[in-house]
Amino acid sequence: MSKEKTSKRKALYTSLILLAAGASSRFKDSSKRQLNIKKQWLRIGHIPLWRYVTNRWLSLCDFEQVVVVLPPKEVEYSTQWAEDINIISGGNTRQESLKNALQHISTPYVLVSDVARCITDGFVLDLLLEHLENNSCFDCVVPYIEVFDTIYNDAHGYIDRQATKLIQTPQLSRTQMLINALSNATSFSDESSAIHAHKGKVLFVSGSKKLQKLTHEKDIYLLKHFPCPSHDCFVGHGFDVHGLKAHNQHESIRLGGVDIPCSYAIDAHSDGDVGIHALIDALLGGIGAGDIGVWFPDTDDRYKGIDSAKLLTEVVDFVQAVGYTIIHVDLTFIIQSPKIAPYKKDMQNKLASLLNIDKYHVNIKATTTEHLGFLGRKEGIAAQSTATLKYLDWRNL
């Protein structure tokens, strides 16, 4: 492989868009195990891959603007890595995400690449920028690599490989031409195909075998020269309390995802499962993602009476999607009555299933306040939890 130039380029009148809003479905589907992480959140040290790739681009070139596109649910969480760039929400397709990003671009030219194309090549960047510096008449400059194998297409039979090009990103485009080209309903897989269909001028330059995409699990070798994930562990703490109210009829309360017969009802917006609520806060605290009140506010009717197990599932999906593995959870109920000892195993099994971990990594405890305070008077119940997490080590995939 050729070495990149070390001098930093200046891309006049040019912005950078990095696309990372996909669901990583092909990456997950190719895994031999249950794998819920999104590839843009694979950790390089402590840094998510999308930010690491952004840093590599910024080390090569100064851009007028930098826009990174992530899934809507990840935008707020990602801002802690985005002091110097603009993070925006993506759409359901690459094209929708690109259209969203272009709304934030004010420069006449835009360089677009995919975070999945995680290895940069300064020589290819130079070839693209040369056309900008020389005022070339172009609408899109595209890197490509030649095809050396025989190609067969089911619809057209054998294809002339010498007339075939494998298109790569990054691609440098005139911003307004790209906006116009994407304005109709036709679906395009990249910028050059959209501009070509819009009768724009597409120029081809030599690409690089380094510019491969991290698409499937087997492509993880592309990260072999990147720093490995940090081995640090992270501990989050959660606490929740709800009031109890008398109930004349036979009633049950839900704790740790399990229904327990009780002569009281929980006074809460949701089902009032203090155990799961404390656990959710512990998980969110461990990854630095706020708290349950931000995620599921009690002013939102969507969560009125909801099964807290559904809320936990959503949080667990997010925790795993952004690069973490849950190691162990510890949950303590502070409750005068009813006694929960007969239900601990059921809670352990339920929570282990929801957390996607072995049941021996779920510990359930209970204590009373010896009849002291509002908890001792059976006016309320409380729970506290800790959760221990680490980064998914992609070297083991």
Side-chain angles (χ1 to χ4, degrees):
M1 289 187 182
S2 59
K3 294 183 178 179
E4 293 185 2
K5 295 181 180 179
T6 57
S7 58
K8 195 171 184 180
R9 296 84 168 161
K10 176 67 177 179
L12 295 174
Y13 317 116
T14 303
S15 296
L16 172 67
I17 294 176
L18 291 174
L19 300 171
S24 296
S25 54
R26 288 177 291 180
F27 185 75
K28 296 175 185 177
D29 290 345
S30 65
S31 175
K32 300 181 181 66
R33 71 216 82 196
Q34 187 178 30
L35 188 63
N36 294 325
I37 191 172
K38 292 184 177 179
K39 58 192 175 188
Q40 59 265 37
W41 286 98
L42 293 167
R43 298 302 172 116
I44 312 300
H46 285 287
I47 305 300
L49 181 63
W50 65 263
R51 179 70 232 204
Y52 188 81
V53 173
T54 302
N55 289 346
R56 290 174 71 94
W57 276 107
L58 295 180
S59 71
L60 291 176
C61 191
D62 285 325
F63 296 95
E64 302 286 345
Q65 297 171 265
V66 178
V67 175
V68 177
V69 190
L70 290 170
K73 289 185 177 180
E74 298 163 20
V75 170
E76 178 63 28
Y77 181 62
S78 69
T79 55
Q80 56 195 307
W81 292 279
E83 305 86 359
D84 56 338
I85 60 177
N86 190 12
I87 303 290
I88 68 160
S89 296
N92 293 325
T93 65
R94 183 186 188 277
Q95 185 162 316
E96 288 180 12
S97 295
L98 178 55
K99 290 170 71 172
N100 288 355
L102 288 169
Q103 295 178 28
H104 298 264
I105 300 300
S106 58
T107 55
Y109 302 98
V110 61
L111 188 76
V112 180
S113 192
D114 303 273
V115 166
R117 211 174 291 273
C118 52
I119 299 177
T120 54
D121 191 313
F123 286 96
V124 173
L125 179 60
D126 279 344
L127 290 175
L128 297 173
L129 295 180
E130 280 176 9
H131 292 278
L132 179 63
E133 295 167 356
N134 297 331
N135 296 313
S136 300
C137 181
F138 72 91
D139 294 303
C140 184
V141 186
V142 185
Y144 78 96
I145 57 176
E146 297 177 341
V147 180
F148 298 100
D149 295 315
T150 300
I151 305 174
Y152 180 85
N153 180 277
D154 288 340
H156 304 287
Y158 288 96
I159 297 174
D160 182 2
R161 64 187 179 192
Q162 293 184 339
T164 303
K165 295 178 173 64
L166 296 180
I167 303 300
Q168 300 179 313
T169 60
Q171 298 181 14
L172 180 64
S173 304
R174 294 186 187 273
T175 304
Q176 192 57 53
M177 170 60 81
L178 183 55
I179 291 172
N180 295 340
L182 296 174
S183 61
N184 58 47
T186 306
S187 178
F188 299 101
S189 60
D190 74 336
E191 299 75 67
S192 67
S193 56
I195 288 175
H196 179 267
H198 200 65
K199 309 302 182 185
K201 183 177 181 180
V202 178
L203 300 179
F204 298 98
V205 299
S206 295
S208 169
K209 290 183 178 180
K210 292 170 62 177
L211 299 177
Q212 298 179 66
K213 288 184 71 174
L214 175 59
T215 303
H216 302 101
E217 183 188 1
K218 63 180 176 62
D219 301 324
I220 216 73
Y221 75 91
L222 293 171
L223 307 183
K224 64 183 178 181
H225 296 302
F226 289 12
C228 67
S230 168
H231 297 299
D232 289 352
C233 288
F234 308 89
V235 179
H237 177 264
F239 175 82
D240 193 45
V241 60
H242 281 301
L244 291 173
K245 54 187 178 182
H247 202 282
N248 295 328
Q249 299 177 355
H250 175 74
E251 186 64 48
S252 65
I253 58 176
R254 185 169 295 164
L255 297 176
V258 175
D259 290 330
I260 300 174
C262 183
S263 58
Y264 294 88
I266 296 178
D267 189 8
H269 183 68
S270 65
D271 64 0
D273 190 332
V274 291
I276 285 185
H277 295 177
L279 181 52
I280 287 174
D281 261 357
L283 292 170
L284 293 175
I287 69 170
D291 58 57
I292 191 172
V294 173
W295 276 65
F296 312 110
D298 60 10
T299 55
D300 193 329
D301 286 341
R302 288 180 299 170
Y303 307 122
K304 187 172 180 61
I306 193 170
D307 182 352
S308 294
K310 295 181 179 179
L311 307 182
L312 179 57
T313 297
E314 183 174 337
V315 169
V316 169
D317 287 346
F318 183 84
V319 167
Q320 294 176 335
V322 298
Y324 289 86
T325 297
I326 302 168
I327 302 174
H328 182 86
V329 298
D330 186 37
L331 178 60
T332 301
F333 291 97
I334 308 169
I335 181 171
Q336 197 66 45
S337 69
K339 299 298 183 183
I340 68 168
Y343 305 97
K344 285 184 178 180
K345 290 297 183 184
D346 290 339
M347 291 183 190
Q348 186 183 39
N349 291 330
K350 176 70 173 182
L351 293 177
S353 176
L354 293 171
L355 295 166
N356 298 320
I357 61 177
D358 294 315
K359 64 181 181 181
Y360 49 80
H361 287 308
V362 177
N363 190 57
I364 308 292
K365 306 193 300 289
T367 187
T368 71
T369 61
E370 300 293 338
H371 300 284
L372 298 175
F374 74 95
L375 295 173
R377 294 192 298 269
K378 304 179 184 179
E379 296 172 5
I381 55 174
Q384 59 184 12
S385 178
T386 58
T388 306
L389 308 98
K390 64 180 180 180
Y391 296 133
L392 175 74
D393 193 340
W394 41 262
R395 297 173 303 169
N396 297 328
L397 295 179

